[in-house]
Amino acid sequence: NPYVGSWASGGNLNTARRRLVGTGIQTAALALNGFNPTPTLSNVVEQYDGSSWTEVAEANTARIDAMAVGTSTDAYFIGGSIPSGSPPVYKDLVESWNGSSWTETTEFNTARDNAGNAGSTSAAIIFGGNNGPPFITNTEVWNGSAWTEVNDMNTARENFGSAAKGTTTATLAFGGIEPSYSAKTESWDGTNWTEVSDLNTARNSLGFSGIQTSALAFAGLPKFSLA
């Protein structure tokens, strides 16, 4: 079975935190911002080389629940929120990472956090998320110079998984909150979102990886009862 494997411990982050975002691959990744400890907002960025984490240049704007695409040396840090009030301040910021510094670049159209994303710095897609509430279905595509709104998702939600190595023409959205805990899965073909097979366990805040035709969903917070 090609999907059977095992988990092994890697190098620890230098700064413990939660509600951070990451991008890259197993041997070359970035970990960006988050809370450390709650409710202190952190703009720490760490870079992973396959064995250890090293702090690098901080992002310009500290935020949580953001999105990121790209590699450890060529990435975008997208959206997120600043928990300075109720509701938080939702951001439409995009920062570009060149391997040594962060530069603000073209903003996207609808500010949000906890959205799905896929692609690269030259061709990216963001979809769903939260900008209020309510949760949203808005989908935007980046072509290297501008963000364009395209067809919406079928179900508004946040905190869901996506095909982490998907593209602007092939990605997935699965699980999340809508506001009930969701098992729904939607597939994007570059034009439309289509509902496909559900997850076995409805959950949010799950881990995810893979491509549209071979994805992985793991852990997360399942629906539970306090009764």
Side-chain angles (χ1 to χ4, degrees):
N1 186 333
Y3 303 110
V4 172
S6 60
W7 294 95
S9 297
N12 290 338
L13 288 165
N14 295 287
T15 302
R17 52 202 142 133
R18 69 184 186 96
R19 295 174 70 174
L20 67 165
V21 66
T23 191
I25 60 175
Q26 186 184 44
T27 55
L30 289 178
L32 304 114
N33 288 196
F35 272 141
N36 173 47
T38 302
T40 302
L41 191 60
S42 171
N43 64 351
V44 169
V45 177
E46 299 187 39
Q47 191 174 57
Y48 191 61
D49 64 5
S51 61
S52 62
W53 293 93
T54 303
E55 288 194 19
V56 292
E58 296 176 345
N60 293 296
T61 301
R63 45 211 147 120
I64 60 171
D65 300 334
M67 295 73 73
V69 298
T71 70
S72 64
T73 57
D74 179 27
Y76 278 170
F77 184 29
I78 304 168
S81 59
I82 299 174
S84 58
S86 181
V89 177
Y90 296 91
K91 307 301 291 184
D92 58 5
L93 289 175
V94 179
E95 295 188 40
S96 174
W97 170 249
N98 64 6
S100 60
S101 63
W102 294 95
T103 304
E104 288 192 19
T105 185
T106 308
E107 297 170 349
F108 58 101
N109 295 290
T110 302
R112 67 190 89 180
D113 68 5
N114 284 320
N117 60 271
S120 67
T121 56
S122 60
I125 182 171
I126 57 174
F127 41 96
N130 185 7
N131 76 337
F135 305 145
I136 58 176
T137 57
N138 303 56
T139 301
E140 299 186 36
V141 171
W142 169 254
N143 65 4
S145 60
W147 292 95
T148 303
E149 292 195 12
V150 291
N151 286 331
D152 291 348
M153 300 174 70
N154 295 290
T155 301
R157 52 183 143 166
E158 68 159 357
N159 263 345
F160 53 90
S162 56
K165 298 190 180 304
T167 68
T168 57
T169 58
T171 192
L172 293 174
F174 43 88
I177 307 175
E178 48 163 287
S180 61
Y181 286 45
S182 179
K184 289 181 181 176
T185 301
E186 296 186 41
S187 179
W188 172 253
D189 64 6
T191 304
N192 296 304
W193 290 97
T194 303
E195 290 193 16
V196 292
S197 298
D198 288 354
L199 288 169
N200 294 290
T201 303
R203 59 191 126 157
N204 79 90
S205 301
L206 63 162
F208 53 89
S209 188
I211 59 175
Q212 186 188 50
T213 55
S214 182
L216 182 67
F218 53 95
L221 181 64
K223 186 175 182 178
F224 63 95
S225 172
L226 296 177

